[in-house]
């Protein structure tokens, strides 16, 4: 039979191990969300460049066109950016 201090130590160790597992899962989720955000940003940047060439406009106007299209179609900017990029590939 273990004494109270030993049992308390084991409980704290188990709790710390459980917390470590949760933190690792959180790290994986955050890492994936960051990766997806960076991918989306890259697609948007490429689409803005394509729109600048296609319409002979500056970056702010191309971004506005992308945002306006996304809004009017209830889509996200990355979704519209993917459509723009699909037309040039």
């Amino acid at each position: 039979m273990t004494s109270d201090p030993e049992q308390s130590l084991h409980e704290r160790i188990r709790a710390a191990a459980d917390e470590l597992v949760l933190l690792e899962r959180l790290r994986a989720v955050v890492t994936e969300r960051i990766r997806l955000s960076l991918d989306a940003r890259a697609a948007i940047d490429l689409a803005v460049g394509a729109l600048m060439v296609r319409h002979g406009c500056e970056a702010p106007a191309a971004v506005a066109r992308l945002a306006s299209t996304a809004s009017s179609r209830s889509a996200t900017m990355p979704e519209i950016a993917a459509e723009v990029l699909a037309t040039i590939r």
Side-chain angles (χ1 to χ4, degrees), residues 72-88:
S72 70
R73 292 170 55 189
S74 297
T76 65
M77 285 181 64
E79 290 169 341
I80 301 303
E83 290 179 18
V84 169
L85 295 176
T87 66
I88 62 170

Side-chain angles (χ1 to χ4, degrees), residues 3-24:
S3 66
D4 281 343
E6 275 186 45
Q7 185 175 1
S8 176
L9 177 61
H10 289 289
E11 289 170 359
R12 290 193 316 242
I13 290 171
R14 266 192 296 266
D18 291 345
E19 193 170 319
L20 186 59
V21 168
L22 291 175
L23 287 172
E24 179 56 31

